[in-house]
Amino acid sequence: MQISEKTILGKWKEYTLKNDMGMSVSILNYGGIITKMMVPDRNGKKENIVLAYRDYQGYELNPHYFGALIGRVAGRIKGATFTLNNEYYSLEKNDGENHQHGGSDGFHQIIWETETFQQKNTVGLILKYKSKDGEAGYPGNLDVVVTYTLTNDNQLRLHYTANSDKTTPIALTNHSYFNLSGNLKETVKNHEVMIDSSQFAELDKHLIPTGRLMKVEGTSFDFRTIRKLGTGFKGDFEQNKIAGNGYDHYFIFDHTKEYNVVLKDPTSGRVLAVKTNQPGMVMYTSNSLDEGQELTDISSSKYLGICLETQESPASLEQKGFPTVILQAGEIYKRETIFSFKIEH
């Protein structure tokens, strides 16, 4: 197990965690951004399996949130407002009339305090941040700790804890775009996906949940048995069309299977299995990814990556039936998502 660090652009630190199996993960203290994830294919060839900018300057704006920690609330808040305990809160409108991913100065744009650790079979990075009462419009002084742990079993564990002195909304996630082909050789159209979910949130034309939970059965959203991702890109289902001929939807987990999500690339043999105590996940298939941005291996294009944003749903601020984002004052927020990387021969 190894940890190395280097200075980036004279102002950030990048930490690289490496296990004894040759897998490595590189993370910035800026935004908690995962900049590289080197994972072997079925032939033992190690390649990067996340989208990343060719030049680090791209992360200064990072409009697509590549690899970043998202907070205080991941997802979209309708009208950039919410009411809590009879108090009205107004947030930044950074997605049309709505508030998205904690605002333009959210957790993806801050310098986190960092601390590394190394044990016999694990190596990791702890990130800490104190978000002050009123920051980005949210109530409460919020203490957040996020831990990235890499194991010798090729697991990357993301552990989130937080507490606030006022009742407040919170939904933390990581916004890495995965592409298991390695070094962005292909889009994710031929990736195969299993999601342990029998219902998802219907979206309106602004990508805001309508309040209706739809059954996946008989639709291109039925991933209860593994299926090719691209089948939903070219279908006639209205919900795929609304999202730009893809997916940008919240799935509620049934928690009936060993893993909540399994992602496979048949060509490389890489498999990503996801296990979490989060109630659901936004699956986003980079339908709105701008073309022409210089990434590590090629220029950006639609369907180049898939985000598996395990989280609660901000729709719960105004709709019933969604997993709540409300953290009570003095309560401990504790979530974990484990990404396990395997090989299928």
Side-chain angles (χ1 to χ4, degrees), residues 21-162:
M21 308 302 290
M23 179 179 166
S24 67
V25 182
S26 298
I27 306 153
L28 290 176
N29 65 344
Y30 174 70
I33 294 167
I34 294 174
T35 57
K36 187 184 287 186
M37 205 179 289
M38 302 295 288
V39 177
D41 67 4
R42 66 162 61 92
N43 298 315
K45 186 178 182 182
K46 299 178 192 73
E47 295 173 307
N48 184 32
I49 54 111
V50 293
L51 272 61
Y53 289 109
R54 184 172 298 173
D55 298 315
Y56 284 96
Q57 286 94 336
Y59 292 110
E60 292 185 298
L61 291 177
N62 200 8
H64 297 285
Y65 306 93
F66 288 156
L69 292 176
I70 305 295
R72 286 189 186 189
V73 175
R76 294 176 175 88
I77 296 177
K78 184 179 180 180
T81 62
F82 65 92
T83 302
L84 184 60
N85 294 337
N86 297 317
E87 284 198 48
Y88 176 86
Y89 294 91
S90 181
L91 308 171
E92 176 194 5
K93 294 179 178 179
N94 65 323
D95 180 55
E97 289 298 303
N98 306 308
H99 177 81
Q100 184 183 27
H101 290 336
S104 56
D105 294 321
F107 289 178
H108 65 292
Q109 292 279 299
I110 62 170
I111 302 280
W112 294 72
E113 288 181 38
T114 53
E115 180 184 327
T116 60
F117 64 90
Q118 188 169 348
Q119 296 161 344
K120 185 179 179 183
N121 288 306
T122 62
V123 64
L125 180 69
I126 301 167
L127 301 107
K128 297 179 181 180
Y129 181 63
K130 291 179 181 290
S131 180
K132 293 180 181 175
D133 184 20
E135 188 174 300
Y138 292 97
N141 292 295
L142 185 76
D143 288 308
V144 185
V145 180
V146 181
T147 305
Y148 290 99
T149 304
L150 179 64
T151 75
N152 264 337
D153 298 327
N154 281 1
Q155 285 186 347
L156 179 64
R157 299 176 178 175
L158 278 63
H159 188 262
Y160 308 85
T161 61

Side-chain angles (χ1 to χ4, degrees), residues 74-79 95-101 200-211 221 238-250 282-289 309 311 313-315 318-319 322:
R76 294 176 175 88
I77 296 177
K78 184 179 180 180
D95 180 55
E97 289 298 303
N98 306 308
H99 177 81
Q100 184 183 27
H101 290 336
F200 70 98
E202 179 185 60
L203 298 180
D204 66 17
K205 65 180 180 180
H206 302 294
L207 304 179
I208 297 289
T210 64
F221 286 69
E238 186 62 25
Q239 281 297 298
N240 289 123
K241 290 181 177 179
I242 277 175
N245 295 312
Y247 300 89
D248 195 2
H249 294 73
Y250 188 73
V282 172
M283 180 171 76
Y284 172 55
T285 49
S286 54
N287 329 308
S288 306
L289 186 56
E309 303 164 57
Q311 61 177 90
S313 174
E318 61 165 26
Q319 308 277 9
F322 288 85

Side-chain angles (χ1 to χ4, degrees), residues 68-343:
L69 292 176
I70 305 295
R72 286 189 186 189
V73 175
R76 294 176 175 88
I77 296 177
K78 184 179 180 180
T81 62
F82 65 92
T83 302
L84 184 60
N85 294 337
N86 297 317
E87 284 198 48
Y88 176 86
Y89 294 91
S90 181
L91 308 171
E92 176 194 5
K93 294 179 178 179
N94 65 323
D95 180 55
E97 289 298 303
N98 306 308
H99 177 81
Q100 184 183 27
H101 290 336
S104 56
D105 294 321
F107 289 178
H108 65 292
Q109 292 279 299
I110 62 170
I111 302 280
W112 294 72
E113 288 181 38
T114 53
E115 180 184 327
T116 60
F117 64 90
Q118 188 169 348
Q119 296 161 344
K120 185 179 179 183
N121 288 306
T122 62
V123 64
L125 180 69
I126 301 167
L127 301 107
K128 297 179 181 180
Y129 181 63
K130 291 179 181 290
S131 180
K132 293 180 181 175
D133 184 20
E135 188 174 300
Y138 292 97
N141 292 295
L142 185 76
D143 288 308
V144 185
V145 180
V146 181
T147 305
Y148 290 99
T149 304
L150 179 64
T151 75
N152 264 337
D153 298 327
N154 281 1
Q155 285 186 347
L156 179 64
R157 299 176 178 175
L158 278 63
H159 188 262
Y160 308 85
T161 61
N163 63 84
S164 172
D165 58 2
K166 289 184 183 176
T167 298
T168 190
I170 181 173
L172 305 179
T173 196
N174 176 275
H175 208 284
S176 288
Y177 291 68
F178 294 101
N179 184 321
L180 301 183
S181 70
N183 293 348
L184 306 181
K185 285 195 287 294
E186 301 173 11
T187 70
V188 295
K189 288 180 185 178
N190 292 319
H191 279 36
E192 297 171 350
V193 185
M194 185 287 296
I195 306 174
D196 183 17
S197 171
S198 53
Q199 54 184 351
F200 70 98
E202 179 185 60
L203 298 180
D204 66 17
K205 65 180 180 180
H206 302 294
L207 304 179
I208 297 289
T210 64
R212 181 184 172 205
L213 292 173
M214 300 182 70
K215 294 198 178 299
V216 302
E217 192 171 353
T219 74
S220 52
F221 286 69
D222 192 349
F223 292 97
R224 290 174 298 177
T225 54
I226 201 156
R227 66 187 290 174
K228 193 175 286 191
L229 196 57
T231 55
F233 297 167
K234 56 192 178 189
D236 292 327
F237 192 48
E238 186 62 25
Q239 281 297 298
N240 289 123
K241 290 181 177 179
I242 277 175
N245 295 312
Y247 300 89
D248 195 2
H249 294 73
Y250 188 73
F251 290 79
I252 295 181
F253 293 137
D254 294 338
H255 288 290
T256 58
K257 299 182 179 177
E258 182 182 2
Y259 295 105
N260 303 99
V261 187
V262 175
L263 180 68
K264 296 182 179 183
D265 174 45
T267 305
S268 70
R270 291 185 181 94
V271 178
L272 167 55
V274 183
K275 194 169 190 173
T276 184
N277 63 355
Q278 291 276 21
M281 169 193 75
V282 172
M283 180 171 76
Y284 172 55
T285 49
S286 54
N287 329 308
S288 306
L289 186 56
D290 299 334
E291 296 201 357
Q293 295 186 68
E294 293 303 307
L295 305 184
T296 44
D297 295 284
I298 60 172
S299 291
S300 59
S301 64
K302 195 170 181 174
Y303 307 134
L304 200 54
I306 175 173
C307 299
L308 307 171
E309 303 164 57
T310 56
Q311 61 177 90
E312 302 82 4
S313 174
S316 62
L317 289 168
E318 61 165 26
Q319 308 277 9
K320 292 181 179 177
F322 288 85
T324 184
V325 296
I326 299 301
L327 178 70
Q328 299 296 326
E331 197 177 54
I332 303 294
Y333 175 93
K334 209 169 186 177
R335 302 288 186 269
E336 185 174 51
T337 296
I338 301 172
F339 297 111
S340 297
F341 294 92
K342 308 172 186 226
I343 298 297

